[in-house]
Amino acid sequence: MLEGLRVVDRTTQIAGPYCTKLLADAGAEVVSTPPIETGGLYEYLHASKRVGAANAAAADILVADEPVDVAALWNDNPSLVVVTITPFGCDGPWAGRPATEFTLQAACGSTATRGLPENPPLAAGGRVGEWLAGAYAAAGAVAALRSAQRSGVGEHVDVAMLDCMTVAMTTFQPVFASFMGWPPMRGTGRAIEVPSIEPTADGYVVFTTNSAQQFESLLLMIGRADLIEDKDLARPNVRFKRREEFSAAVHAFTRPRTSEHVLDEAAAWRIPAGPVLDGETIPSFEQFVARDVFVKSPSGRFRQPRVPYRIGGVEAPAFTAVAEAANVDWQSRAGGAEAAWDLPLAGVRVLDCTAWWAGPAASHVLACLGADVIKVESGGRPDLMRFTSTKRPGDGQWWEWGPLFHGVNVGKRGITLDLTRREGVDVFERLLGTADAVLENYTPRVMDQFGLGWKRVHEVNRRTVMVRMPAFGLDGPWRDRTGFAQTMECVAGMAWMTGFPDGPPVLVRGACDPLAGVHAAFATMLALAERDRRGEGMLVEAAMVEAAVNVAAEQVIEHDLTGALRTRSGNRSELAAPQGVYQCAGEDRWVALSVTDDDQWRALVDALGHPEWAGGLDQMDARRAAHDQTDDQLRAWFAARDPDEVADLLSRAGVPAEVVLPAKDILENPQIRHRRLFEEEVHPVTGTNPIAGLPFRFSHVDRWARRPSPTIGEHNDEVLGEVVSPDELEALRAKGVIGEGLAG
């Protein structure tokens, strides 16, 4: 689909190469910087690319992992899309501040949310933030390209990894706090979900009980119907406080049974559940085998996941080995179109039939980029994300106080239609005649039961793109099983990499939802561009689990190459020493430190005042061997010091170090404020609150959110009035096919 697109990749590590991998996978010609080092991960990220030098003046997109002179680039190539991926963005008080994945997780509030109070705060394993940044950069790149091709005007897509990790890993905590009046909180607030990852006779499984029905079904499955009457247990915070008692009840059921047995029982009860897999077992997961998700790398040395989406009628290019190309002689293109710049998706209409987080996160990206996104709910069964409310049922319009709902539904218009009734389907089909795309993320059977599968959608409007986001895919033995972010983290191996060496796997807590969403948004934009060329819509399948496994592939690659099984290492890393979180003065206050090279170590030793114990540790191998002793010394040094002062001191010295920030306090970060990541939502029910926009800036855009999230059925008359007469609208309202507010 991107055949003929020219991309210059001047990046290393993960984020930039993953951005350009997504472009190469879609057919773009990518010329990459010669590698600093090679290996399985490099092969995976650079398949189908060429290595050499290319002139950005003749390119369509330039991707860099440091600030560049954008104005000078535009002098030579006015329509160039420039993508920069840096830890904090290209300007602001923290621009250029030293950082690693580990310290960014602390700075965005993610580390503070994870773990048990008796243990230190825990970072997520697997460098998930870098992969997230690459995915968002790719979405920003294809969006900016759409505008540049129409107008002839280039764009700077300024991607900050801190922003990406905030949006994907902690974005809702400040919204929760704002809705609740910013109550004081002691300490980091770290916790684990109860239930979550539980032991079985032969491994681990994960349960997800995001709804009251799912939790009640779990109690019935484990034979503890008596606990249904314990209303306190229905509250996640109470379950966490009573975790030993509750976990004992769950383990009495899971420990004597195999994982397969437990998962079959969970499927029968419609409880989202999955196995906890690792680098050895991921490729043999029966759903992946049935769908041929893993393929041989071009070198044949390891297996890698295929492209994480399918677009009907478009053959994905086969992966090819990275090729040497000393110089690429691109000829400059003729001058492009000259028109006023507009948002990439201006004029595009999307019917949004998604719920919870992953699907709405995809349509949120599209809405921010200019699409008219119409959220379709039912008054009797709205998006259940509304029910994660800061108000109790019965407190006025309590369903409008769901912070998670607001976080991914700003910028949309909202209607209600009961699609279980023929009248509702009829109106939906009329509206479908005006739509460029339809998004849905139910299990595959749901849209088919409504009579709104791909065949019918295509019959009604042959130009409409239909994007389906099932948890596990449209076919295969797990086709009809439900799944949430927690399920994906475990199936893809992210949870296996998170936790302390002597403890169980731990959930990453949420990243897979926006990860799936941004991959689906990327695929949607590809399909819309292809539709514009062909004149005909197509089916897009973007399975949630396949996005997750694409960004967690490193452990599979390493196991195939070496036989080594990567596993949990707490807060340590093979890429840094010392690395850890260290408690400071004050109640439950910590600093994350990550020393990745010898220069940073020398800077740290200078800041410490050249203590005697630091002698002989100038080399990384020596520091790894002495990590326990070094930690003892660092704990003593940090213990009496203020965390904010220490983090600033070390950062100024060139050492990556950040306060382990409570997630709700991310709004206090001066760089986040400077970049305006959080924008004010002025809502008719909840008032004015901070809501995160997209985690990248466009030079042409001051604000991403152009309207508040919709109340239930708020825009029925406005939207449905385009296809239904006023009298028919009133008749539909009288029958309960449409309505405003929560029905019943």
Side-chain angles (χ1 to χ4, degrees):
M1 286 168 292
L2 296 182
E3 185 176 0
L5 183 74
R6 300 168 175 176
V7 180
V8 176
D9 178 0
R10 296 178 183 170
T11 67
T12 59
Q13 301 298 317
I14 289 174
Y18 187 60
C19 166
T20 56
K21 169 182 164 52
L22 289 170
L23 301 177
D25 289 347
E29 182 182 3
V30 178
V31 179
S32 173
T33 303
I36 297 173
E37 59 183 52
T38 60
L41 180 61
Y42 176 86
E43 280 189 43
Y44 172 62
L45 288 169
H46 290 82
S48 306
K49 302 177 186 177
R50 290 191 289 169
V51 172
N55 183 7
D60 300 294
I61 298 174
L62 167 69
V63 184
D65 55 12
E66 60 184 7
V68 296
D69 189 338
V70 178
L73 289 165
W74 282 342
N75 282 337
D76 294 332
N77 186 350
S79 63
L80 181 67
V81 171
V82 181
V83 182
T84 54
I85 309 171
T86 58
F88 300 105
C90 290
D91 58 8
W94 281 24
R97 188 174 171 111
T100 68
E101 162 90 14
F102 184 74
T103 60
L104 288 170
Q105 284 194 32
C108 79
S110 174
T111 302
T113 67
R114 191 179 302 104
L116 296 172
E118 58 266 29
N119 294 327
L122 177 65
R127 299 169 74 179
V128 64
E130 295 180 53
W131 296 96
L132 280 162
Y136 276 109
V142 295
L145 179 71
R146 187 179 176 95
S147 291
Q149 289 176 333
R150 291 178 173 181
S151 66
V153 178
E155 181 59 77
H156 178 201
V157 185
D158 180 4
V159 183
M161 290 176 60
L162 176 65
D163 293 8
C164 295
M165 294 162 72
T166 299
V167 164
M169 302 175 83
T170 58
T171 184
F172 297 123
Q173 275 81 357
V175 189
F176 266 106
S178 182
F179 277 22
M180 296 178 72
W182 299 99
M185 184 184 79
R186 298 172 63 185
T188 63
R190 61 189 177 278
I192 61 171
E193 294 183 30
V194 179
S196 59
I197 295 174
E198 311 298 344
T200 65
D202 59 353
Y204 295 95
V205 298
V206 62
F207 298 121
T208 305
T209 54
N210 287 341
S211 72
Q213 180 60 58
Q214 291 164 355
F215 181 65
E216 184 173 314
S217 294
L218 177 77
L219 296 180
L220 292 171
M221 183 185 76
I222 67 174
R224 294 301 304 269
D226 57 300
L227 295 178
I228 294 175
E229 300 306 315
D230 190 340
K231 300 304 181 184
D232 278 348
L233 280 179
R235 298 161 56 196
N237 62 325
V238 172
R239 288 204 299 275
F240 179 71
K241 292 176 182 177
R242 295 169 57 183
R243 59 189 176 276
E244 292 186 9
E245 168 199 352
F246 184 77
S247 294
V250 174
H251 295 172
F253 176 84
T254 61
R255 283 189 185 279
R257 294 168 171 83
T258 65
S259 295
E260 183 180 8
H261 185 174
V262 172
L263 292 173
D264 286 344
E265 288 282 323
W269 285 96
R270 303 289 298 167
I271 300 166
V276 181
L277 303 179
D278 58 36
E280 180 180 10
T281 57
I282 290 166
S284 59
F285 177 48
E286 61 178 335
Q287 181 70 1
F288 294 157
V289 172
R291 285 170 54 82
D292 297 321
V293 169
F294 279 84
V295 298
K296 279 287 187 183
S297 67
S299 69
R301 301 197 309 143
F302 56 83
R303 291 164 293 179
Q304 66 183 71
R306 67 178 183 210
V307 175
Y309 54 83
R310 290 172 168 175
I311 298 180
V314 178
E315 191 70 28
F319 297 128
T320 59
V322 61
E324 296 291 334
N327 289 288
V328 177
D329 186 20
W330 285 335
Q331 299 301 309
S332 296
R333 299 190 191 278
E338 293 186 8
W341 188 93
D342 205 348
L343 286 165
L345 297 179
V348 171
R349 172 170 285 187
V350 177
L351 301 187
D352 179 8
C353 301
T354 67
W356 292 102
W357 189 357
S363 52
H364 174 245
V365 172
L366 304 179
C368 289
L369 292 170
D372 175 22
V373 177
I374 299 169
K375 186 169 183 68
V376 183
E377 301 177 85
S378 164
R381 187 176 172 81
D383 184 343
L384 293 180
M385 192 66 98
R386 290 184 181 274
F387 294 172
T388 59
S389 176
T390 58
K391 302 289 185 182
R392 291 180 177 273
D395 290 351
Q397 293 174 282
W398 64 273
W399 57 85
E400 299 293 356
W401 288 83
L404 284 79
F405 178 88
H406 284 251
V408 284
N409 286 287
V410 290
K412 305 176 186 179
R413 297 192 287 172
I415 64 171
T416 54
L417 281 173
D418 185 348
L419 296 179
T420 67
R421 297 167 68 174
R422 183 60 246 176
E423 301 98 321
V425 172
D426 176 64
V427 175
F428 182 87
E429 290 184 349
R430 290 190 231 174
L431 198 58
L432 181 59
T434 72
D436 296 281
V438 178
L439 271 65
E440 65 91 10
N441 69 330
Y442 305 120
T443 54
R445 60 189 175 84
V446 174
M447 292 300 280
D448 294 335
Q449 288 174 347
F450 293 153
L452 293 169
W454 164 240
K455 182 178 179 181
R456 181 56 182 162
V457 167
H458 197 51
E459 287 173 351
V460 173
N461 187 344
R462 299 190 69 82
R463 285 184 55 80
T464 297
V465 169
M466 186 177 192
V467 182
R468 307 193 68 177
M469 299 176 60
F472 294 102
L474 295 176
D475 55 25
W478 280 58
R479 171 185 186 271
D480 291 320
R481 298 206 193 193
T482 52
F484 288 83
Q486 300 95 319
T487 329
M488 307 306 127
E489 293 169 13
C490 292
V491 171
M494 295 178 184
W496 181 259
M497 296 290 295
T498 302
F500 293 101
D502 56 352
V506 176
L507 291 175
V508 174
R509 306 192 78 185
C512 283
D513 278 307
L515 183 72
V518 70
H519 280 86
F522 175 81
T524 302
M525 289 186 281
L526 293 181
L528 286 170
E530 187 69 12
R531 186 279 311 267
D532 291 345
R533 286 189 287 270
R534 294 183 181 193
E536 186 172 29
M538 58 207 70
L539 173 65
V540 178
E541 180 192 11
M544 189 177 181
V545 73
E546 293 186 28
V549 82
N550 260 261
V551 306
E554 185 176 7
Q555 56 187 303
V556 173
I557 294 168
E558 184 168 333
H559 186 269
D560 277 1
L561 286 174
T562 68
L565 183 64
R566 300 189 70 193
T567 189
R568 302 172 288 287
S569 57
N571 287 316
R572 292 186 180 179
S573 167
E574 61 186 17
L575 302 175
Q579 177 172 289
V581 295
Y582 302 93
Q583 192 159 13
C584 297
E587 184 175 5
D588 195 28
R589 303 203 67 198
W590 305 73
V591 163
L593 171 73
S594 179
V595 176
T596 62
D597 60 39
D598 297 342
D599 288 340
Q600 291 174 0
W601 170 252
R602 286 188 285 272
L604 175 63
V605 171
D606 287 345
L608 296 175
H610 296 273
E612 184 177 344
W613 61 263
L617 299 179
D618 290 342
Q619 302 297 316
M620 179 68 78
D621 287 346
R623 294 196 295 277
R624 287 197 188 100
H627 210 308
D628 288 345
Q629 299 90 326
T630 303
D631 275 351
D632 290 341
Q633 299 293 340
L634 289 173
R635 276 192 287 267
W637 186 83
F638 277 98
R641 288 172 167 79
D642 178 83
D644 296 292
E645 293 177 1
V646 168
D648 284 343
L649 169 70
L650 296 179
S651 293
R652 287 195 302 271
V655 182
E658 298 296 349
V659 174
V660 178
L661 190 73
K664 76 177 184 65
D665 294 335
I666 186 62
L667 293 178
E668 297 178 8
N669 182 287
Q671 187 69 9
I672 291 289
R673 290 200 304 270
H674 173 85
R675 288 179 59 82
R676 307 183 310 281
L677 175 62
F678 286 84
E679 301 172 356
E680 284 192 345
E681 178 196 41
V682 182
H683 191 271
V685 177
T686 59
T688 301
N689 294 282
I691 305 291
L694 295 181
F696 49 76
R697 306 303 305 174
F698 273 18
S699 50
H700 288 89
V701 176
D702 292 325
R703 177 181 173 86
W704 291 117
R706 287 168 290 281
R707 63 169 70 235
S709 56
T711 59
I712 296 178
E714 179 180 355
H715 302 99
N716 280 340
D717 289 356
E718 181 180 312
V719 173
L720 298 179
E722 295 181 19
V723 295
V724 174
S725 70
D727 288 345
E728 192 174 358
L729 270 177
E730 289 310 312
L732 291 168
R733 189 171 280 116
K735 292 178 180 179
V737 177
I738 69 172
E740 292 71 45
L742 189 65

